[in-house]
Amino acid sequence: SAVVFPKKLATEQQSLMLVKRLLAVAVSCITYLRGIFPESAYGTRYMDDVCVKILREDKNSPGSTQLVKWMLGCYDALQKKYLRQIVLAVYTQQEDPQTVTECYHFKFKYTHNGPLLDFGSKDKKADSTISCADTKKASILLIRKIYVLMQNLSPLPNDVCLTMKLLYYDEVTPPDYQPPGFKEAKYEGMMFQEEPVYLNVGEVPTPFHMLKLKITTEKQRMENIDKNILKQGGTAKPLQVCGVSRDDPEE
């Protein structure tokens, strides 16, 4: 169905549903615009007036079916408020998934005391509430920025591979927790083939959640980008790409 924005975000469940949908749209747009899966692996939907491609299980594209399964695992961890970060990484050598060429970091925060919580923002009072209009505006801006960025980055190499790592809030996550489709990670850290560039794409607040997206790509892919595209997000300070990851997707 169309990605409909709720008229209100009064409950944690409504907020969770929106964050899940937004994550699905973002991952779908990224993989579609980077040419990772064939056209048949996507359906067309509308998010307000923005036409978006949504990933679906496609028997002709086992990789897209696998990514859909990983997303369901992410939803499980998100629902339980364990999920701190999703790292979606693109690599080119099947035998070396640690050396990546492009990386997408989705970071999540949760409120524990209802909708009145400040996320460390300097320009907002600690008791300011987030309106549905704010969330909608930020969501559409995030998707538009993904579209513009993905269309302006130079293409990925042919035959790339995808991996997904999940990082947790360890203080609340049971040590033996594994969401469906994931297993304990065997190694830590990632390296980039070429010099990386770090981009803050944007963030979407709801009264109960915060979703942030950062992208790391190789500098050479940025050469043709008009710097004005990035003005609203700016480039991030280099983020720690070598965070400890607990879970890798199962093959």
Side-chain angles (χ1 to χ4, degrees):
S1 64
V3 184
V4 180
F5 284 97
K7 294 283 187 283
K8 56 182 182 176
L9 288 168
T11 69
E12 198 166 353
Q13 195 55 40
Q14 288 170 330
S15 174
L16 176 67
M17 185 59 69
L18 181 69
V19 172
K20 284 180 177 180
R21 285 177 178 172
L22 199 54
L23 180 60
V25 171
V27 169
S28 297
C29 287
I30 288 164
T31 57
Y32 179 77
L33 291 164
R34 298 309 274 138
I36 291 173
F37 301 120
E39 184 81 34
S40 60
Y42 299 88
T44 302
R45 298 285 182 270
Y46 285 87
M47 189 168 118
D48 220 44
D49 61 342
V50 183
C51 177
V52 294
K53 294 289 186 178
I54 299 287
L55 194 66
R56 59 188 177 192
E57 295 191 59
D58 174 20
K59 62 181 186 297
N60 298 318
S61 173
S64 66
T65 300
Q66 186 63 63
L67 183 52
V68 169
K69 286 178 180 164
W70 292 348
M71 294 293 290
L72 295 175
C74 295
Y75 290 169
D76 186 79
L78 193 59
Q79 201 154 333
K80 291 180 166 76
K81 297 188 189 176
Y82 297 161
L83 187 59
R84 178 164 61 89
Q85 188 177 167
I86 297 169
V87 181
L88 183 65
V90 180
Y91 61 102
T92 56
Q93 303 298 322
Q94 206 164 354
E95 66 285 353
D96 183 17
Q98 273 180 279
T99 305
V100 301
T101 187
E102 202 157 272
C103 204
Y104 299 86
H105 304 257
F106 294 88
K107 297 186 176 184
F108 302 91
K109 289 184 181 178
Y110 311 88
T111 69
H112 293 285
N113 309 312
L116 302 181
L117 187 75
D118 180 44
F119 283 105
S121 166
K122 291 174 185 156
D123 56 350
K124 288 190 176 179
K125 296 175 184 168
D127 63 350
S128 64
T129 53
I130 294 152
S131 73
C132 208
D134 293 338
T135 300
K136 181 175 176 178
K137 184 178 174 187
S139 300
I140 290 174
L141 182 61
L142 180 75
I143 298 305
R144 285 190 191 280
K145 284 182 79 174
I146 290 173
Y147 259 70
V148 171
L149 258 177
M150 299 299 98
Q151 287 171 325
N152 283 275
L153 289 176
S154 61
L156 289 168
N158 291 331
D159 299 326
V160 295
C161 305
L162 275 185
T163 187
M164 187 183 273
K165 296 179 171 300
L166 306 186
L167 289 81
Y168 300 114
Y169 286 103
D170 286 334
E171 61 275 17
V172 294
T173 307
D176 60 348
Y177 171 74
Q178 312 289 350
F182 287 81
K183 63 183 180 184
E184 193 80 12
K186 288 193 174 70
Y187 57 82
E188 300 165 8
M190 291 182 181
M191 296 172 292
F192 272 81
Q193 289 172 353
E194 308 285 340
E195 186 185 348
V197 175
Y198 307 90
L199 305 168
N200 268 330
V201 183
E203 57 186 54
V204 178
T206 84
F208 299 90
H209 297 84
M210 169 76 88
L211 165 65
K212 292 186 181 184
L213 173 59
K214 295 184 177 187
I215 294 175
T216 316
T217 189
E218 290 170 357
K219 193 174 183 182
Q220 68 215 27
R221 287 204 192 100
M222 296 284 298
E223 283 168 2
N224 301 322
I225 286 198
D226 177 351
K227 295 296 177 276
N228 290 326
I229 290 171
L230 306 172
K231 280 288 190 290
Q232 281 171 296
T235 49
K237 294 173 186 166
L239 51 94
Q240 187 62 33
V241 181
C242 297
V244 176
S245 64
R246 256 196 32 198
D247 278 344
D248 271 349
E250 291 174 345
E251 292 307 320

